[in-house]
Amino acid sequence: MTRKEFIKACSILGISIPFQTVIASCSNEDDENTPTGFSDSVIIIGAGPAGMSTAYLFAQQGIDFKILEAAPTYGGRIKHNTAFTDFPIPLGAEWIHVDTSILSDAVNDPSVNITTQTKGYQGSDTVGYYDGNYATFSLASTFGDHEDKKFINSSWLDFFETYIVPSIQSNFIFNTQVININYESDKVVVTDSNGQTYEAAKGIITVPLKILQSNAITFAPALPESKENTISKATVWGGIKVFIEFSEKFYPTYLGFPDSETSEGQRIYYDASYGQNSNKYILGLFAVGKQAEQYQNLTGTAQKEYILNELDAIFDGKATASYVQHIVQNWNEEPFIQAAYLADSASSSISRNLSTSVDNKLYFAGEAYTQEDDWGGAHNAIRSARDVVEEIL
């Protein structure tokens, strides 16, 4: 039985299996273009959730790898702030949008006791809606089956730091901005902005899609035309998150608007303290795409006053009266990220094309590089990493 046949059979039977079991239980009779008995080195470009997940799975298989990261630390769009209040503030990925078994899938070791705690929303939670008039509804009547869960006094970054980073931390190379990837020969040669080169049998690209769109990384030879066209034409939403502390809680669990979800973007206010062991009142603002621009076009005091005025109009001046402090994360301004994620309104064919490997040398993993029917989440990055490692092995 080949690996793909084994996976398909287990899927039909409804059996969930650890990745290591998949590798151990199958012969190397996969597609003729898939290398067998792989034992060479790998370069992973980007230390976000996809890059770290890929590295972690290679570590479990004893594959030699290095992770090149342009920033001075790991995390990418799952970074958090621990100084603002008494629980971690997720500046990027915040929720678990799928079943919490994704955490076990990431750890890929049934002997590990995962103690990360999460809390799901209740159907009776209040959802506010403002279109010039303010109304409230129950979450159940507004969203129906709401699968999203919050981490309790932790975050996606905490999860990775606890279960993933320890086994790969010696393989990070930080402050290393990749500018060229040459895959003309039998090796992949990666060059950074200081002229340093790194060589391996395989290269795995996990950088945000916006970085590829900006041509911050060049390829020799050029990527296939179909992939280049997909990269250039894909809509990538910009994004911003704002967290505001108030001295009282005057807002619902969620606050939506007529433009909270459109083909051009999204925005919503939400109770960021929900489920936390905290007595702080923190309201979050999440906005991507066109809906984010009204906030991104302002800075400093003007930005703060714009947001408070928006909330004051809904809540009779309570926002300004109870304002304590706030922090802002504008993802467009992050030099090695430059945006939020692939637009929700994109076609699934885009992410699937983005995820395809090139010449059995270059592979792509991340929230935008996925064979799934959705994208833009930490869980997509984790699953894409598994797909890439499976393809290589």
Side-chain angles (χ1 to χ4, degrees):
M1 175 182 288
T2 69
R3 184 177 302 125
K4 288 184 178 179
E5 290 171 339
F6 179 77
I7 295 170
K8 182 177 181 181
C10 289
S11 176
I12 292 172
L13 295 172
I15 301 172
S16 177
I17 47 176
F19 183 78
Q20 289 175 305
T21 303
V22 175
I23 298 299
S25 302
C26 305
S27 67
N28 286 319
E29 299 173 3
D30 287 1
D31 294 342
E32 61 180 2
N33 292 326
T34 302
T36 60
F38 183 77
S39 60
D40 213 327
S41 59
V42 175
I43 291 176
I44 301 166
I45 303 167
M52 290 190 288
S53 295
T54 304
Y56 176 80
L57 292 172
F58 278 133
Q60 288 185 325
Q61 298 301 318
I63 302 298
D64 181 41
F65 65 90
K66 292 293 182 185
I67 313 172
L68 309 184
E69 170 55 48
T73 188
Y74 52 76
R77 285 167 289 179
I78 61 170
K79 79 172 184 175
H80 66 202
N81 178 297
T82 57
F84 181 71
T85 189
D86 57 358
F87 61 90
I89 293 289
L91 298 173
E94 183 163 353
W95 294 270
I96 298 180
H97 297 300
V98 293
D99 189 86
T100 52
S101 61
I102 187 65
L103 303 180
S104 298
D105 291 343
V107 172
N108 193 46
D109 184 346
S111 70
V112 175
N113 179 29
I114 299 174
T115 60
T116 301
Q117 295 182 307
T118 63
K119 179 177 175 61
Y121 291 92
Q122 305 301 307
S124 57
D125 289 335
T126 303
V127 176
Y129 181 79
Y130 184 75
D131 60 358
N133 295 298
Y134 182 63
T136 60
F137 309 89
S138 71
L139 184 142
S141 64
T142 306
F143 291 115
D145 185 14
H146 194 62
E147 191 174 25
D148 288 357
K149 298 172 185 66
K150 292 268 289 182
F151 289 91
I152 300 176
N153 284 77
S154 66
S155 67
W156 271 114
L157 185 58
D158 284 313
F159 169 77
F160 272 84
E161 288 186 326
T162 301
Y163 299 102
I164 306 300
V165 171
S167 64
I168 63 174
Q169 57 188 356
S170 63
N171 299 74
F172 289 114
I173 304 178
F174 295 117
N175 299 304
T176 303
Q177 181 182 4
V178 171
I179 61 171
N180 179 263
I181 301 173
N182 187 308
Y183 62 105
E184 292 176 306
S185 68
D186 59 341
K187 295 288 187 179
V188 175
V189 180
V190 175
T191 304
D192 69 17
S193 57
N194 293 317
Q196 177 71 45
T197 60
Y198 307 84
E199 185 177 283
K202 310 289 181 185
I204 302 176
I205 299 156
T206 73
V207 300
L209 179 55
K210 196 70 174 180
I211 298 301
L212 296 185
Q213 286 188 334
S214 66
N215 295 315
I217 300 175
T218 57
F219 294 85
L223 294 175
E225 184 177 0
S226 62
K227 187 176 283 287
E228 283 195 331
N229 288 339
T230 301
I231 290 171
S232 64
K233 293 178 181 178
T235 299
V236 179
W237 282 341
I240 188 171
K241 292 183 79 175
V242 181
F243 295 88
I244 316 160
E245 181 181 354
F246 295 103
S247 59
E248 65 170 308
K249 186 177 184 295
F250 55 83
Y251 45 84
T253 301
Y254 281 101
L255 172 63
F257 303 87
D259 66 347
S260 278
E261 186 164 359
T262 73
S263 61
E264 296 181 306
Q266 300 168 356
R267 71 167 174 140
I268 197 166
Y269 286 94
Y270 60 96
D271 181 2
S273 302
Y274 189 94
Q276 308 306 311
N277 299 320
S278 172
N279 59 4
K280 301 291 186 179
Y281 305 120
I282 311 294
L283 182 67
L285 166 62
F286 166 86
V288 292
K290 185 175 180 61
Q291 285 85 313
E293 295 174 3
Q294 59 190 309
Y295 308 106
Q296 292 174 315
N297 291 337
L298 301 170
T299 59
T301 301
Q303 185 185 65
K304 180 188 79 171
E305 291 181 349
Y306 182 89
I307 293 172
L308 291 178
N309 288 338
E310 181 172 61
L311 294 169
D312 280 341
I314 303 169
F315 300 109
D316 300 324
K318 292 180 180 178
T320 296
S322 60
Y323 169 83
V324 176
Q325 62 173 335
H326 77 288
I327 55 172
V328 179
Q329 174 63 51
N330 185 348
W331 285 102
N332 293 35
E333 295 177 347
E334 291 288 336
F336 307 121
I337 296 177
Q338 300 181 6
Y341 47 78
L342 178 65
D344 285 0
S345 54
S347 166
S348 60
S349 62
I350 291 176
S351 62
R352 288 172 183 168
N353 193 358
L354 291 172
S355 71
T356 56
S357 57
V358 177
D359 287 356
N360 290 329
K361 296 176 189 173
L362 299 185
Y363 300 80
F364 298 79
E367 56 80 17
Y369 316 102
T370 172
Q371 291 288 318
E372 298 185 309
D373 289 330
D374 74 308
W375 43 88
H379 66 280
N380 302 115
I382 292 169
R383 290 169 176 171
S384 70
R386 180 171 175 146
D387 289 342
V388 162
V389 174
E390 180 184 313
E391 181 178 357
I392 291 175
L393 296 182

